[in-house]
Amino acid sequence: MYARDIEYIALQEGECREWMLQNRNRRIQMAGGEAKNLPSYPGPNKMRDCYCTVNLDQEEVFRTKIVEKSLCCKVAILKEDLQKYNNRETWFQVQHVDANSEVQGKVHLELRLSEVITDTGVICHKLVVRVLECRGLPIVNGQCDPYAVVTLLGPTRTESKKTKVRKKTNNPQFDEVFYFEVTKPSSYNKKFHFEIEEDDVDKMEIRVDLWNASNLKFGDEFLGELKIPLKVLRQSSCYDAWYIPVSASAAHVLGEVCREKQEAAIPLVRLFLHYGKIVPFISAIANAEVNRTQDPNTIFRGNSLTSKCIDETMKLAGMHYLQVTLKPIIDEICELHKPCEIDPVKLKDGENLESNKENLKNYVDQIFNVITKSGVSCPTVMCDIFFSLRESAAKRFQDDPDVRYTAVSSFIFLRFFAPAILSPNLFQLSLHHPDPQTSRTLTLISKTIQTLGSLSKSKSASFKETYMAAFYDHFNEQKYADAVKNFLDLISSSGRRDHKSIEQPILLKEGFMIKRAQGRKRFGMKNFKKRWFRLTNHEFTYQKAKADHPLCNIPIENILAVERVEEESFKMKNMFQVIQPSRTLYIQANNCVEDKDWIDILTKVSQCNQKRLTVYHPSAYLNGHWLCCKVTSENATGCSPCTGGLPANIQLVIDGDRETERIYSLFNTYMSKMEKMQEACGSKSVYDGPEQEEYSSFVIDDPRETYKTLCSIIDAVKTLEEEHAQYKRDKFKKTKYGSQEHPIGDKSFQTYIRQQSEVSTHSI
């Protein structure tokens, strides 16, 4: 929990009646309380002897008596809200315990998908989970006797296994192996070889719960939990990793010690982009920042490492996106020089205020429309990041329905489109800085677009200039807010993760089209029916009417390609095909514009599917053969390359070694600040009181792990410095003064000679 929270620890769901509270100089007075409607606990034992603790700023200030054969729950109340409940009796909804709130330490796991021969000689697939060790687990009440519970979670079953208890250590060495069957007996071929059900595996995950075996009457103490989706085994049958808080990582340390966050962001983003790890990196640091944010209105508004890293990523990956979206209209504005000044004080002689307003409104509408219709062109890496931001924000602030939009709009509008409109020369949208009149026009457009994208409830009040507030009244229509939300839904719903982790599906497009009955081999007009189609980030469906139940559901992950169909196939225009693993759905759009829109958006949401096709048949399979290539086999490989629709990503040329060297140089430059951060970690670990002012600038969530990280970084940097110095000494010794490598007048060589003379004199 955060330092400003007060907690009641006692279960998972249900209700808890609060004690009568008074907050007076960190003292809390309490009258009796109770809990009700508590479900069974999913840990090793269903029922426990339950008690309740009251924690203020993570410090336990009170513990109740033990109630036998009960369960445990948690309620959190902000300190500043205590006054609302002063001398009042209130029921509170119990919250799920956040596994990241007070957990420290790390776990070493190995996952492997292996073939096992049973006693009957049948080969089946089993998941092997090896729990190797843990480090830095918290010590509870002066002792730590940890054990781990490994649980396989699936759609229809749950299976748990437990390690042995390791006595008197918070760095336990388990090295225990557990086996879980992940295949079904009904899925086998004639040789009795079981096949892996990929869909089932994708829905499974491993959960590892860490517990402290306690001899006290109230039962074992929960130490922490982690979950790993089995999708990680798709790329490799073996997965070996350490799990540790991101706030103790070297990247976080670099962001904390650099004078400007931008210094750290540039090489970090380039390095992670180079190795294809930018999305998990930004997702991790963004999630940590969201968990530290108390007010949803301030989410991602500061100049944090997260914000700077996302800015840099958008600048690198989104440059082409800006070109195709904004450059045509920016060129038009720069060439036509239409007067758009709406400040009455700044009007030039001969200008008409109403005419200028109309010019400006037209430009704003044009740019707003090209932006909100550009979602299908947004680079995949940006969509993946926005998806992660949306999920983290929605989970953190569940009572705010708009935070999932503002978390994304704060970047795509505030930090991407608005700055590009304001200074097009900095984003390669123009060669030179615009003239004063054009620059003023772009400033007014940028302000309006930024406000339209913010989705704030009182937009007119956000302008300090009265003329801007009056001008913005032209855009106070629901259609603008709807367009922004639809755009944000599209660019934040096509990440590589499991889309169904979002609680509610996001509607992307719907409308009537004509479809051909799937699986029909002969041509006939009776095979074509008008249906209502509906696309979400989960599935593509159709039904007889808008209010009816779907007749067909196509999961997004089953869309292998979306391509146009040659007119000769059915003698019909505006036809396209949605190719699935077992069959193809042929659809006719209402017109060429709708045809393109449907193809683009279907391609966008499915472009990261791992089994997407590279070739397809541009004509239909009719009367026993493909009309395009005349091949008779219906399962024949496609004869034309897929268009791909949109680039899945923009390839960047990045020198990974150079970026690594930059990171090393930054650590070396800020060595003194790293040593100061080490002191801050020590102070936080042992000093129980107000934080010392000299350490207040550092964000340190886990002092112990951060201290270890700092030690590793400092040792590595010093070792490299010594190796570099030795290399220079050896090089100078072998190089003759006056040679091409060290010409006469070379200051570095002269400095080396002087230093060697000083060393020799000192030795004598």
Side-chain angles (χ1 to χ4, degrees), residues 638-653:
C639 56
S640 297
C642 288
T643 59
L646 301 161
N649 213 332
I650 304 298
Q651 297 299 317
L652 302 170
V653 179

Side-chain angles (χ1 to χ4, degrees), residues 193-390:
H193 184 84
F194 284 76
E195 300 291 339
I196 301 174
E197 299 285 349
E198 290 190 356
D199 290 341
D200 289 342
V201 172
D202 277 353
K203 296 174 184 177
M204 292 180 176
E205 62 182 7
I206 282 291
R207 186 183 72 205
V208 179
D209 299 294
L210 293 165
W211 296 83
N212 178 45
S214 174
N215 294 324
L216 301 177
K217 188 175 182 181
F218 47 79
D220 298 345
E221 299 276 356
F222 177 72
L223 299 179
E225 175 190 273
L226 65 90
K227 293 181 180 180
I228 308 104
L230 295 194
K231 289 188 295 183
V232 299
L233 295 173
R234 270 190 175 274
Q235 286 75 30
S236 173
S237 61
C238 183
Y239 186 77
D240 187 345
W242 279 95
Y243 292 84
I244 187 172
V246 69
S247 58
S249 66
H252 175 79
V253 169
L254 184 63
E256 289 300 300
V257 299
C258 283
R259 184 180 294 106
E260 301 291 340
K261 302 294 185 186
Q262 188 74 6
E263 283 185 289
I266 292 174
L268 284 173
V269 166
R270 290 173 175 269
L271 189 64
F272 280 107
L273 273 172
H274 177 68
Y275 287 105
K277 301 294 184 181
I278 189 64
V279 175
F281 166 63
I282 289 183
S283 298
I285 61 175
N287 189 62
E289 180 173 330
V290 169
N291 287 336
R292 286 193 292 265
T293 303
Q294 300 300 320
D295 184 357
N297 295 316
T298 63
I299 193 167
F300 298 127
R301 290 303 172 94
N303 289 322
S304 63
L305 180 63
T306 302
S307 297
K308 292 300 182 182
C309 284
I310 297 176
D311 288 351
E312 186 65 20
T313 303
M314 293 191 300
K315 193 178 297 183
L316 291 171
M319 199 61 69
H320 177 73
Y321 177 37
L322 281 177
Q323 294 281 328
V324 299
T325 305
L326 292 183
K327 196 174 189 312
I329 183 64
I330 295 293
D331 288 344
E332 179 185 330
I333 294 170
C334 294
E335 291 171 6
L336 297 182
H337 288 87
K338 287 185 179 180
C340 296
E341 182 57 71
I342 59 173
D343 183 356
V345 178
K346 296 182 179 180
L347 279 180
K348 295 179 181 179
D349 293 339
E351 288 186 353
N352 180 276
L353 182 60
E354 293 304 317
S355 176
N356 287 6
K357 284 184 179 179
E358 189 63 25
N359 289 339
L360 183 61
K361 183 179 183 300
N362 288 338
Y363 280 146
V364 170
D365 276 331
Q366 285 185 60
I367 289 184
F368 179 80
N369 287 332
V370 297
I371 289 175
T372 53
K373 292 179 180 179
S374 70
V376 294
S377 301
C378 187
T380 302
V381 67
M382 290 172 59
C383 294
D384 290 343
I385 291 171
F386 296 150
F387 176 83
S388 176
L389 301 182
R390 178 191 185 105

Side-chain angles (χ1 to χ4, degrees), residues 81-94:
D81 291 341
L82 291 179
Q83 188 62 32
K84 300 178 185 177
Y85 311 112
N86 189 31
N87 292 315
R88 289 173 53 196
E89 195 174 273
T90 310
W91 283 98
F92 290 91
Q93 186 70 27
V94 177

Side-chain angles (χ1 to χ4, degrees), residues 34 136 165 206 235 289 440 521:
E34 59 181 305
V165 176
I206 282 291
Q235 286 75 30
E289 180 173 330
R440 173 64 176 167
K521 301 293 191 301

Side-chain angles (χ1 to χ4, degrees), residues 587-642:
I587 303 172
Q588 183 188 37
N590 298 322
N591 51 59
C592 60
V593 175
E594 280 289 292
D595 179 43
K596 182 180 184 303
D597 287 348
W598 276 107
I599 291 174
D600 284 349
I601 197 168
L602 281 163
T603 300
K604 180 66 179 175
V605 297
S606 63
Q607 66 182 349
C608 291
N609 289 349
Q610 294 187 354
K611 296 183 179 180
R612 276 190 66 86
L613 299 179
T614 57
V615 292
Y616 79 109
H617 291 284
S619 294
Y621 183 83
L622 293 174
N623 301 322
H625 67 276
W626 290 101
L627 300 182
C628 46
C629 58
K630 310 305 179 185
V631 175
T632 56
S633 173
E634 187 175 4
N635 298 322
T637 304
C639 56
S640 297
C642 288

Side-chain angles (χ1 to χ4, degrees), residues 89-104:
E89 195 174 273
T90 310
W91 283 98
F92 290 91
Q93 186 70 27
V94 177
Q95 304 170 358
H96 284 282
V97 177
D98 181 3
N100 296 319
S101 60
E102 296 181 322
V103 176
Q104 65 186 48

